[in-house]
Amino acid sequence: MTFEEFKRLALEPPRRDEETVFEVTEYDWHIPRHDTETEYPKLDISSFRVGFGRSLEEAEELMRQAIEKAEEHDNDIYCFHIKEFPVGSIINVSPFDLGM
């Protein structure tokens, strides 16, 4: 795959021909209160489900709203994951796929 082909796929990802739902998960970081054993700081990561969108645009809007809310509460956001799932289909998920 050439760089131009990769770039085109990144800018215009293929869309599914079935109904899907987009799950938005927020990951926040904080320094543990009891970190006295190492010379390097450790970061704890916590996660929670923000919500579900019917389109990528709706999921991105949920993410923007979560960012505004995090700023109000002075939360430190590490990242967001937006995952697309087919509706009405069995999917194999492990606890690692659930954003927990």
Side-chain angles (χ1 to χ4, degrees):
M1 176 182 296
T2 67
F3 176 76
E4 289 304 318
E5 291 170 329
F6 175 79
K7 183 178 176 181
R8 185 170 22 90
L9 276 174
L11 295 174
E12 300 172 20
R15 306 301 312 158
R16 295 178 182 254
D17 290 334
E18 59 190 329
E19 183 182 2
T20 61
V21 64
F22 294 83
E23 176 190 44
V24 182
T25 305
E26 178 181 331
Y27 292 83
D28 295 341
W29 69 273
H30 62 278
I31 297 174
R33 295 181 190 160
H34 306 290
D35 186 22
T36 58
E37 298 178 14
T38 64
E39 59 187 85
Y40 297 103
K42 294 180 182 177
L43 298 178
D44 282 343
I45 304 292
S46 58
S47 67
F48 61 93
R49 185 175 293 124
V50 173
F52 294 92
R54 291 175 292 238
S55 66
L56 180 58
E57 293 78 19
E58 197 171 284
E60 289 172 341
E61 179 57 32
L62 288 171
M63 185 179 68
R64 283 188 281 278
Q65 291 173 17
I67 291 170
E68 290 176 10
K69 194 173 198 179
E71 289 172 350
E72 292 173 10
H73 298 287
D74 205 27
N75 293 354
D76 291 317
I77 296 173
Y78 177 68
C79 69
F80 285 91
H81 283 181
I82 297 179
K83 297 180 184 177
E84 182 178 17
F85 294 100
V87 173
S89 299
I90 295 176
I91 54 174
N92 294 325
V93 293
S94 72
F96 303 107
D97 293 331
L98 297 176
M100 295 181 183

